Amino acid sequence: MLGQHRSTQRKRPHERADEERLTADIIELARQYGRYGYRRVAELLRRSGWHVNDKRVERIWRREGLKVPSKQPKRKRLWFNDGSCIRLRAERPNHVWSYDFMEDRTHDGRKIRMLNIVDEYTRECLAIRVDRRLNSTSVIDVLTDLFILRGVPGHIRSDNGPEFVAKAVQAWIHAVGAKTAYITPGSPWENGYIESFNARVRDELLNGELFYSMKEARIIIESWRRHYNGIRPHSSLGYKAPAPEVFVPSFAAWPSPPYGSAPTAPLDLAIRPTLN
């Protein structure tokens, strides 16, 4: 009737009522976790109570022009100024641990070293020891604490660095009942789990932090380790955290009343939230 071509007719899209609030939450998570993509952000949204799928988050992500930058600037913190097993695969928790060293520098140019230890099955970071110098004695100290807390693993995988192949380390590991699994020299892909973890530490933490002191470095690195274990979605675990924190309500630990005792009065609604 109007002489208007049919291809020009379309239905005007209507945004959902919660679109603006969801967009604000996505932008806030992208600002807080600058190295996360939309899939990890979508998982964090679902944990916080949003019923949203990856496609919707991706649509908003692209519409808002969000992306993971290829390089991030270092940030200043101002509150502190002072023998290879062939394709040995982990089959259960505490079966295979792997460890390796990383290096970074404080603001004054002095070197710091990090000893990272990972459980290959759960992907949990068991410990990160930070110090100016780390040697074979430091390796034994860290492993001793972990063995007391978590038990002795079946194998410990590492490269052929002098701190790992030292006779004292080998003798001590075998004395407690574990086995060493050294990779072939010049083959870091055989130690892929710890190498991947080191890449995440470098990309998500070290490239964006400027440490002024050892105390500051230890606090920030330990805080990141706890975030990695308890909150950060891991793609190989179905975007779940390696070791999520569990909170037990206070009333769950109360002893049950003795048999035959009189029933207690119902809780007042005004005080229910304080018990949680």
mmCIF file of all heavy atoms in Angstrom, residues 218-263:
data_model
loop_
_atom_site.group_PDB
_atom_site.id
_atom_site.type_symbol
_atom_site.label_atom_id
_atom_site.label_comp_id
_atom_site.label_asym_id
_atom_site.label_seq_id
_atom_site.Cartn_x
_atom_site.Cartn_y
_atom_site.Cartn_z
ATOM 1 N N ARG A 218 55.628 -10.226 48.765
ATOM 2 C CA ARG A 218 55.091 -11.437 49.390
ATOM 3 C C ARG A 218 53.589 -11.324 49.626
ATOM 4 O O ARG A 218 52.839 -12.276 49.386
ATOM 5 C CB ARG A 218 55.816 -11.693 50.716
ATOM 6 C CG ARG A 218 57.279 -12.120 50.564
ATOM 7 C CD ARG A 218 57.827 -12.615 51.888
ATOM 8 N NE ARG A 218 59.225 -13.028 51.776
ATOM 9 C CZ ARG A 218 60.252 -12.334 52.251
ATOM 10 N NH1 ARG A 218 60.037 -11.174 52.872
ATOM 11 N NH2 ARG A 218 61.484 -12.775 52.108
ATOM 12 N N ILE A 219 53.128 -10.164 50.088
ATOM 13 C CA ILE A 219 51.704 -9.998 50.392
ATOM 14 C C ILE A 219 50.866 -10.047 49.118
ATOM 15 O O ILE A 219 49.846 -10.743 49.044
ATOM 16 C CB ILE A 219 51.473 -8.674 51.147
ATOM 17 C CG1 ILE A 219 52.093 -8.757 52.552
ATOM 18 C CG2 ILE A 219 49.985 -8.357 51.246
ATOM 19 C CD1 ILE A 219 52.017 -7.470 53.330
ATOM 20 N N ILE A 220 51.277 -9.335 48.088
ATOM 21 C CA ILE A 220 50.487 -9.283 46.856
ATOM 22 C C ILE A 220 50.499 -10.634 46.144
ATOM 23 O O ILE A 220 49.476 -11.099 45.631
ATOM 24 C CB ILE A 220 51.018 -8.166 45.944
ATOM 25 C CG1 ILE A 220 50.785 -6.798 46.594
ATOM 26 C CG2 ILE A 220 50.349 -8.214 44.568
ATOM 27 C CD1 ILE A 220 51.328 -5.637 45.802
ATOM 28 N N ILE A 221 51.654 -11.298 46.108
ATOM 29 C CA ILE A 221 51.738 -12.597 45.437
ATOM 30 C C ILE A 221 50.919 -13.645 46.179
ATOM 31 O O ILE A 221 50.222 -14.465 45.561
ATOM 32 C CB ILE A 221 53.211 -13.021 45.291
ATOM 33 C CG1 ILE A 221 53.927 -12.091 44.302
ATOM 34 C CG2 ILE A 221 53.321 -14.466 44.828
ATOM 35 C CD1 ILE A 221 55.417 -12.305 44.226
ATOM 36 N N GLU A 222 50.962 -13.648 47.510
ATOM 37 C CA GLU A 222 50.165 -14.605 48.272
ATOM 38 C C GLU A 222 48.672 -14.323 48.108
ATOM 39 O O GLU A 222 47.861 -15.251 48.017
ATOM 40 C CB GLU A 222 50.550 -14.544 49.748
ATOM 41 C CG GLU A 222 49.729 -15.439 50.670
ATOM 42 C CD GLU A 222 49.853 -16.915 50.336
ATOM 43 O OE1 GLU A 222 50.831 -17.309 49.670
ATOM 44 O OE2 GLU A 222 48.955 -17.687 50.762
ATOM 45 N N SER A 223 48.294 -13.044 48.052
ATOM 46 C CA SER A 223 46.892 -12.698 47.811
ATOM 47 C C SER A 223 46.437 -13.199 46.447
ATOM 48 O O SER A 223 45.319 -13.728 46.313
ATOM 49 C CB SER A 223 46.707 -11.185 47.921
ATOM 50 O OG SER A 223 45.383 -10.819 47.603
ATOM 51 N N TRP A 224 47.300 -13.063 45.433
ATOM 52 C CA TRP A 224 46.941 -13.553 44.101
ATOM 53 C C TRP A 224 46.836 -15.072 44.099
ATOM 54 O O TRP A 224 45.956 -15.637 43.439
ATOM 55 C CB TRP A 224 47.978 -13.100 43.083
ATOM 56 C CG TRP A 224 47.644 -13.496 41.676
ATOM 57 C CD1 TRP A 224 46.907 -12.804 40.769
ATOM 58 C CD2 TRP A 224 48.025 -14.723 41.023
ATOM 59 N NE1 TRP A 224 46.802 -13.509 39.596
ATOM 60 C CE2 TRP A 224 47.476 -14.682 39.719
ATOM 61 C CE3 TRP A 224 48.771 -15.825 41.415
ATOM 62 C CZ2 TRP A 224 47.663 -15.714 38.811
ATOM 63 C CZ3 TRP A 224 48.949 -16.867 40.512
ATOM 64 C CH2 TRP A 224 48.401 -16.806 39.217
ATOM 65 N N ARG A 225 47.707 -15.761 44.829
ATOM 66 C CA ARG A 225 47.654 -17.227 44.887
ATOM 67 C C ARG A 225 46.330 -17.703 45.471
ATOM 68 O O ARG A 225 45.706 -18.654 44.975
ATOM 69 C CB ARG A 225 48.818 -17.760 45.726
ATOM 70 C CG ARG A 225 48.941 -19.287 45.734
ATOM 71 C CD ARG A 225 49.991 -19.759 46.716
ATOM 72 N NE ARG A 225 49.525 -19.616 48.091
ATOM 73 C CZ ARG A 225 48.820 -20.551 48.735
ATOM 74 N NH1 ARG A 225 48.496 -21.687 48.137
ATOM 75 N NH2 ARG A 225 48.443 -20.354 49.991
ATOM 76 N N ARG A 226 45.867 -17.046 46.519
ATOM 77 C CA ARG A 226 44.587 -17.437 47.106
ATOM 78 C C ARG A 226 43.432 -17.145 46.150
ATOM 79 O O ARG A 226 42.476 -17.923 46.078
ATOM 80 C CB ARG A 226 44.388 -16.688 48.431
ATOM 81 C CG ARG A 226 45.417 -17.074 49.499
ATOM 82 C CD ARG A 226 45.138 -16.380 50.813
ATOM 83 N NE ARG A 226 46.103 -16.769 51.830
ATOM 84 C CZ ARG A 226 46.056 -16.351 53.090
ATOM 85 N NH1 ARG A 226 45.092 -15.520 53.476
ATOM 86 N NH2 ARG A 226 46.972 -16.740 53.955
ATOM 87 N N HIS A 227 43.527 -16.041 45.434
ATOM 88 C CA HIS A 227 42.501 -15.744 44.431
ATOM 89 C C HIS A 227 42.520 -16.791 43.325
ATOM 90 O O HIS A 227 41.454 -17.233 42.859
ATOM 91 C CB HIS A 227 42.745 -14.354 43.854
ATOM 92 C CG HIS A 227 41.890 -14.042 42.661
ATOM 93 N ND1 HIS A 227 40.590 -13.593 42.766
ATOM 94 C CD2 HIS A 227 42.146 -14.136 41.324
ATOM 95 C CE1 HIS A 227 40.093 -13.414 41.560
ATOM 96 N NE2 HIS A 227 40.999 -13.737 40.667
ATOM 97 N N TYR A 228 43.701 -17.196 42.887
ATOM 98 C CA TYR A 228 43.830 -18.212 41.835
ATOM 99 C C TYR A 228 43.200 -19.524 42.283
ATOM 100 O O TYR A 228 42.491 -20.185 41.507
ATOM 101 C CB TYR A 228 45.304 -18.414 41.509
ATOM 102 C CG TYR A 228 45.573 -19.498 40.492
ATOM 103 C CD1 TYR A 228 45.588 -19.222 39.131
ATOM 104 C CD2 TYR A 228 45.823 -20.810 40.902
ATOM 105 C CE1 TYR A 228 45.833 -20.222 38.199
ATOM 106 C CE2 TYR A 228 46.066 -21.821 39.976
ATOM 107 C CZ TYR A 228 46.079 -21.514 38.628
ATOM 108 O OH TYR A 228 46.311 -22.503 37.715
ATOM 109 N N ASN A 229 43.441 -19.926 43.535
ATOM 110 C CA ASN A 229 42.914 -21.207 44.015
ATOM 111 C C ASN A 229 41.420 -21.161 44.290
ATOM 112 O O ASN A 229 40.699 -22.126 44.023
ATOM 113 C CB ASN A 229 43.648 -21.628 45.293
ATOM 114 C CG ASN A 229 45.065 -22.086 45.036
ATOM 115 O OD1 ASN A 229 45.395 -22.518 43.939
ATOM 116 N ND2 ASN A 229 45.922 -21.984 46.036
ATOM 117 N N GLY A 230 40.914 -20.060 44.847
ATOM 118 C CA GLY A 230 39.554 -20.046 45.350
ATOM 119 C C GLY A 230 38.528 -19.366 44.478
ATOM 120 O O GLY A 230 37.328 -19.628 44.633
ATOM 121 N N ILE A 231 38.940 -18.483 43.555
ATOM 122 C CA ILE A 231 37.974 -17.684 42.807
ATOM 123 C C ILE A 231 38.172 -17.799 41.305
ATOM 124 O O ILE A 231 37.210 -17.966 40.554
ATOM 125 C CB ILE A 231 38.064 -16.205 43.234
ATOM 126 C CG1 ILE A 231 37.735 -16.067 44.725
ATOM 127 C CG2 ILE A 231 37.140 -15.343 42.394
ATOM 128 C CD1 ILE A 231 37.858 -14.657 45.247
ATOM 129 N N ARG A 232 39.403 -17.710 40.826
ATOM 130 C CA ARG A 232 39.663 -17.610 39.396
ATOM 131 C C ARG A 232 39.132 -18.826 38.634
ATOM 132 O O ARG A 232 39.491 -19.964 38.937
ATOM 133 C CB ARG A 232 41.164 -17.489 39.158
ATOM 134 C CG ARG A 232 41.569 -17.373 37.692
ATOM 135 C CD ARG A 232 43.081 -17.421 37.570
ATOM 136 N NE ARG A 232 43.504 -17.237 36.203
ATOM 137 C CZ ARG A 232 43.544 -18.209 35.285
ATOM 138 N NH1 ARG A 232 43.158 -19.436 35.595
ATOM 139 N NH2 ARG A 232 43.979 -17.964 34.061
ATOM 140 N N PRO A 233 38.261 -18.634 37.628
ATOM 141 C CA PRO A 233 37.773 -19.768 36.833
ATOM 142 C C PRO A 233 38.911 -20.374 36.009
ATOM 143 O O PRO A 233 39.689 -19.657 35.384
ATOM 144 C CB PRO A 233 36.707 -19.141 35.930
ATOM 145 C CG PRO A 233 36.356 -17.830 36.571
ATOM 146 C CD PRO A 233 37.601 -17.361 37.253
ATOM 147 N N HIS A 234 38.989 -21.700 36.005
ATOM 148 C CA HIS A 234 40.029 -22.416 35.268
ATOM 149 C C HIS A 234 39.390 -23.140 34.097
ATOM 150 O O HIS A 234 38.480 -23.958 34.282
ATOM 151 C CB HIS A 234 40.734 -23.418 36.187
ATOM 152 C CG HIS A 234 42.105 -23.812 35.730
ATOM 153 N ND1 HIS A 234 42.326 -24.503 34.565
ATOM 154 C CD2 HIS A 234 43.325 -23.594 36.267
ATOM 155 C CE1 HIS A 234 43.623 -24.716 34.410
ATOM 156 N NE2 HIS A 234 44.245 -24.166 35.434
ATOM 157 N N SER A 235 39.846 -22.856 32.880
ATOM 158 C CA SER A 235 39.198 -23.390 31.690
ATOM 159 C C SER A 235 39.230 -24.913 31.636
ATOM 160 O O SER A 235 38.267 -25.546 31.198
ATOM 161 C CB SER A 235 39.851 -22.802 30.434
ATOM 162 O OG SER A 235 41.246 -23.101 30.411
ATOM 163 N N SER A 236 40.319 -25.533 32.076
ATOM 164 C CA SER A 236 40.417 -26.989 31.996
ATOM 165 C C SER A 236 39.590 -27.691 33.066
ATOM 166 O O SER A 236 39.445 -28.915 33.032
ATOM 167 C CB SER A 236 41.883 -27.426 32.120
ATOM 168 O OG SER A 236 42.396 -27.100 33.398
ATOM 169 N N LEU A 237 39.031 -26.943 34.016
ATOM 170 C CA LEU A 237 38.182 -27.513 35.065
ATOM 171 C C LEU A 237 36.716 -27.131 34.859
ATOM 172 O O LEU A 237 35.940 -27.126 35.811
ATOM 173 C CB LEU A 237 38.656 -27.026 36.448
ATOM 174 C CG LEU A 237 40.088 -27.366 36.836
ATOM 175 C CD1 LEU A 237 40.430 -26.757 38.191
ATOM 176 C CD2 LEU A 237 40.319 -28.872 36.862
ATOM 177 N N GLY A 238 36.348 -26.803 33.624
ATOM 178 C CA GLY A 238 34.980 -26.381 33.365
ATOM 179 C C GLY A 238 34.679 -25.026 33.952
ATOM 180 O O GLY A 238 33.551 -24.763 34.377
ATOM 181 N N TYR A 239 35.677 -24.162 33.974
ATOM 182 C CA TYR A 239 35.570 -22.807 34.520
ATOM 183 C C TYR A 239 35.170 -22.810 35.997
ATOM 184 O O TYR A 239 34.414 -21.965 36.444
ATOM 185 C CB TYR A 239 34.612 -21.951 33.687
ATOM 186 C CG TYR A 239 35.200 -21.605 32.343
ATOM 187 C CD1 TYR A 239 34.883 -22.355 31.216
ATOM 188 C CD2 TYR A 239 36.111 -20.561 32.198
ATOM 189 C CE1 TYR A 239 35.443 -22.060 29.976
ATOM 190 C CE2 TYR A 239 36.680 -20.263 30.966
ATOM 191 C CZ TYR A 239 36.342 -21.006 29.862
ATOM 192 O OH TYR A 239 36.903 -20.721 28.654
ATOM 193 N N LYS A 240 35.687 -23.789 36.719
ATOM 194 C CA LYS A 240 35.564 -23.813 38.169
ATOM 195 C C LYS A 240 36.915 -23.489 38.786
ATOM 196 O O LYS A 240 37.956 -23.627 38.151
ATOM 197 C CB LYS A 240 35.090 -25.187 38.659
ATOM 198 C CG LYS A 240 33.794 -25.661 38.022
ATOM 199 C CD LYS A 240 32.643 -24.721 38.328
ATOM 200 C CE LYS A 240 31.349 -25.221 37.701
ATOM 201 N NZ LYS A 240 30.214 -24.288 37.936
ATOM 202 N N ALA A 241 36.910 -23.068 40.026
ATOM 203 C CA ALA A 241 38.160 -22.764 40.722
ATOM 204 C C ALA A 241 38.838 -24.056 41.161
ATOM 205 O O ALA A 241 38.161 -25.041 41.480
ATOM 206 C CB ALA A 241 37.892 -21.872 41.926
ATOM 207 N N PRO A 242 40.179 -24.100 41.193
ATOM 208 C CA PRO A 242 40.868 -25.332 41.614
ATOM 209 C C PRO A 242 40.551 -25.756 43.040
ATOM 210 O O PRO A 242 40.390 -26.942 43.314
ATOM 211 C CB PRO A 242 42.354 -24.957 41.466
ATOM 212 C CG PRO A 242 42.378 -23.853 40.478
ATOM 213 C CD PRO A 242 41.118 -23.077 40.688
ATOM 214 N N ALA A 243 40.427 -24.816 43.969
ATOM 215 C CA ALA A 243 40.150 -25.149 45.366
ATOM 216 C C ALA A 243 39.245 -24.081 45.956
ATOM 217 O O ALA A 243 39.694 -23.222 46.724
ATOM 218 C CB ALA A 243 41.452 -25.261 46.168
ATOM 219 N N PRO A 244 37.943 -24.076 45.597
ATOM 220 C CA PRO A 244 37.049 -23.025 46.092
ATOM 221 C C PRO A 244 36.905 -23.081 47.593
ATOM 222 O O PRO A 244 36.932 -24.157 48.211
ATOM 223 C CB PRO A 244 35.725 -23.342 45.386
ATOM 224 C CG PRO A 244 35.808 -24.785 45.041
ATOM 225 C CD PRO A 244 37.255 -25.055 44.761
ATOM 226 N N GLU A 245 36.770 -21.902 48.187
ATOM 227 C CA GLU A 245 36.607 -21.822 49.627
ATOM 228 C C GLU A 245 35.202 -22.273 50.017
ATOM 229 O O GLU A 245 34.229 -22.028 49.315
ATOM 230 C CB GLU A 245 36.850 -20.396 50.112
ATOM 231 C CG GLU A 245 38.278 -19.919 49.860
ATOM 232 C CD GLU A 245 38.482 -18.494 50.341
ATOM 233 O OE1 GLU A 245 37.479 -17.869 50.737
ATOM 234 O OE2 GLU A 245 39.624 -18.020 50.326
ATOM 235 N N VAL A 246 35.113 -22.932 51.181
ATOM 236 C CA VAL A 246 33.842 -23.422 51.692
ATOM 237 C C VAL A 246 33.574 -22.749 53.022
ATOM 238 O O VAL A 246 34.426 -22.780 53.922
ATOM 239 C CB VAL A 246 33.849 -24.961 51.856
ATOM 240 C CG1 VAL A 246 32.524 -25.449 52.428
ATOM 241 C CG2 VAL A 246 34.125 -25.630 50.523
ATOM 242 N N PHE A 247 32.411 -22.131 53.144
ATOM 243 C CA PHE A 247 32.032 -21.466 54.377
ATOM 244 C C PHE A 247 30.962 -22.301 55.080
ATOM 245 O O PHE A 247 29.929 -22.634 54.484
ATOM 246 C CB PHE A 247 31.490 -20.058 54.093
ATOM 247 C CG PHE A 247 32.513 -19.147 53.488
ATOM 248 C CD1 PHE A 247 32.613 -19.003 52.110
ATOM 249 C CD2 PHE A 247 33.390 -18.440 54.286
ATOM 250 C CE1 PHE A 247 33.548 -18.164 51.548
ATOM 251 C CE2 PHE A 247 34.331 -17.599 53.728
ATOM 252 C CZ PHE A 247 34.419 -17.461 52.364
ATOM 253 N N VAL A 248 31.214 -22.626 56.346
ATOM 254 C CA VAL A 248 30.270 -23.405 57.142
ATOM 255 C C VAL A 248 29.510 -22.444 58.043
ATOM 256 O O VAL A 248 30.122 -21.706 58.820
ATOM 257 C CB VAL A 248 31.005 -24.463 57.990
ATOM 258 C CG1 VAL A 248 29.996 -25.257 58.822
ATOM 259 C CG2 VAL A 248 31.816 -25.383 57.096
ATOM 260 N N PRO A 249 28.167 -22.396 57.961
ATOM 261 C CA PRO A 249 27.408 -21.500 58.843
ATOM 262 C C PRO A 249 27.680 -21.797 60.296
ATOM 263 O O PRO A 249 27.928 -22.951 60.686
ATOM 264 C CB PRO A 249 25.950 -21.789 58.461
ATOM 265 C CG PRO A 249 26.016 -22.399 57.102
ATOM 266 C CD PRO A 249 27.319 -23.154 57.046
ATOM 267 N N SER A 250 27.614 -20.772 61.114
ATOM 268 C CA SER A 250 27.956 -20.941 62.525
ATOM 269 C C SER A 250 27.004 -21.887 63.224
ATOM 270 O O SER A 250 27.414 -22.670 64.078
ATOM 271 C CB SER A 250 27.954 -19.580 63.217
ATOM 272 O OG SER A 250 26.691 -18.949 63.071
ATOM 273 N N PHE A 251 25.723 -21.866 62.854
ATOM 274 C CA PHE A 251 24.766 -22.727 63.557
ATOM 275 C C PHE A 251 24.928 -24.186 63.183
ATOM 276 O O PHE A 251 24.405 -25.063 63.855
ATOM 277 C CB PHE A 251 23.332 -22.277 63.280
ATOM 278 C CG PHE A 251 22.949 -22.253 61.838
ATOM 279 C CD1 PHE A 251 22.576 -23.412 61.183
ATOM 280 C CD2 PHE A 251 22.979 -21.066 61.111
ATOM 281 C CE1 PHE A 251 22.230 -23.386 59.848
ATOM 282 C CE2 PHE A 251 22.624 -21.040 59.785
ATOM 283 C CZ PHE A 251 22.252 -22.216 59.155
ATOM 284 N N ALA A 252 25.665 -24.495 62.103
ATOM 285 C CA ALA A 252 25.860 -25.893 61.718
ATOM 286 C C ALA A 252 26.733 -26.626 62.710
ATOM 287 O O ALA A 252 26.698 -27.845 62.796
ATOM 288 C CB ALA A 252 26.470 -25.980 60.325
ATOM 289 N N ALA A 253 27.532 -25.886 63.474
ATOM 290 C CA ALA A 253 28.417 -26.516 64.450
ATOM 291 C C ALA A 253 27.789 -26.618 65.831
ATOM 292 O O ALA A 253 28.407 -27.128 66.753
ATOM 293 C CB ALA A 253 29.731 -25.723 64.547
ATOM 294 N N TRP A 254 26.555 -26.139 66.015
ATOM 295 C CA TRP A 254 25.918 -26.219 67.321
ATOM 296 C C TRP A 254 25.598 -27.666 67.667
ATOM 297 O O TRP A 254 25.172 -28.455 66.817
ATOM 298 C CB TRP A 254 24.625 -25.414 67.331
ATOM 299 C CG TRP A 254 24.832 -23.937 67.256
ATOM 300 C CD1 TRP A 254 26.023 -23.279 67.228
ATOM 301 C CD2 TRP A 254 23.836 -22.926 67.173
ATOM 302 N NE1 TRP A 254 25.832 -21.930 67.137
ATOM 303 C CE2 TRP A 254 24.485 -21.675 67.104
ATOM 304 C CE3 TRP A 254 22.451 -22.939 67.154
ATOM 305 C CZ2 TRP A 254 23.804 -20.477 67.024
ATOM 306 C CZ3 TRP A 254 21.770 -21.752 67.072
ATOM 307 C CH2 TRP A 254 22.432 -20.533 67.011
ATOM 308 N N PRO A 255 25.772 -28.063 68.926
ATOM 309 C CA PRO A 255 25.398 -29.435 69.310
ATOM 310 C C PRO A 255 23.888 -29.595 69.291
ATOM 311 O O PRO A 255 23.133 -28.675 69.596
ATOM 312 C CB PRO A 255 25.973 -29.570 70.723
ATOM 313 C CG PRO A 255 26.034 -28.163 71.234
ATOM 314 C CD PRO A 255 26.352 -27.299 70.038
ATOM 315 N N SER A 256 23.434 -30.780 68.914
ATOM 316 C CA SER A 256 21.999 -31.041 68.875
ATOM 317 C C SER A 256 21.459 -31.151 70.296
ATOM 318 O O SER A 256 22.157 -31.585 71.218
ATOM 319 C CB SER A 256 21.729 -32.334 68.110
ATOM 320 O OG SER A 256 22.426 -33.406 68.720
ATOM 321 N N PRO A 257 20.205 -30.758 70.533
ATOM 322 C CA PRO A 257 19.654 -30.829 71.887
ATOM 323 C C PRO A 257 19.521 -32.269 72.338
ATOM 324 O O PRO A 257 19.337 -33.184 71.525
ATOM 325 C CB PRO A 257 18.283 -30.163 71.725
ATOM 326 C CG PRO A 257 17.950 -30.311 70.284
ATOM 327 C CD PRO A 257 19.259 -30.244 69.560
ATOM 328 N N PRO A 258 19.629 -32.523 73.625
ATOM 329 C CA PRO A 258 19.496 -33.901 74.135
ATOM 330 C C PRO A 258 18.098 -34.448 73.875
ATOM 331 O O PRO A 258 17.116 -33.708 73.782
ATOM 332 C CB PRO A 258 19.790 -33.747 75.620
ATOM 333 C CG PRO A 258 19.493 -32.314 75.926
ATOM 334 C CD PRO A 258 19.879 -31.553 74.687
ATOM 335 N N TYR A 259 18.008 -35.749 73.762
ATOM 336 C CA TYR A 259 16.737 -36.409 73.457
ATOM 337 C C TYR A 259 15.739 -36.162 74.585
ATOM 338 O O TYR A 259 16.061 -36.315 75.765
ATOM 339 C CB TYR A 259 16.967 -37.914 73.280
ATOM 340 C CG TYR A 259 15.701 -38.680 72.978
ATOM 341 C CD1 TYR A 259 15.143 -38.641 71.707
ATOM 342 C CD2 TYR A 259 15.060 -39.414 73.964
ATOM 343 C CE1 TYR A 259 13.984 -39.338 71.409
ATOM 344 C CE2 TYR A 259 13.903 -40.111 73.680
ATOM 345 C CZ TYR A 259 13.372 -40.066 72.407
ATOM 346 O OH TYR A 259 12.229 -40.752 72.122
ATOM 347 N N GLY A 260 14.536 -35.744 74.213
ATOM 348 C CA GLY A 260 13.503 -35.524 75.201
ATOM 349 C C GLY A 260 13.472 -34.138 75.772
ATOM 350 O O GLY A 260 12.636 -33.842 76.629
ATOM 351 N N SER A 261 14.364 -33.263 75.350
ATOM 352 C CA SER A 261 14.366 -31.910 75.895
ATOM 353 C C SER A 261 13.220 -31.116 75.311
ATOM 354 O O SER A 261 12.691 -31.429 74.245
ATOM 355 C CB SER A 261 15.688 -31.222 75.591
ATOM 356 O OG SER A 261 15.875 -31.129 74.203
ATOM 357 N N ALA A 262 12.839 -30.045 75.995
ATOM 358 C CA ALA A 262 11.739 -29.216 75.541
ATOM 359 C C ALA A 262 12.142 -28.477 74.282
ATOM 360 O O ALA A 262 13.302 -28.072 74.130
ATOM 361 C CB ALA A 262 11.356 -28.212 76.641
ATOM 362 N N PRO A 263 11.226 -28.279 73.335
ATOM 363 C CA PRO A 263 11.559 -27.560 72.097
ATOM 364 C C PRO A 263 11.887 -26.110 72.397
ATOM 365 O O PRO A 263 11.280 -25.496 73.281
ATOM 366 C CB PRO A 263 10.285 -27.685 71.258
ATOM 367 C CG PRO A 263 9.187 -27.917 72.249
ATOM 368 C CD PRO A 263 9.819 -28.705 73.369
#
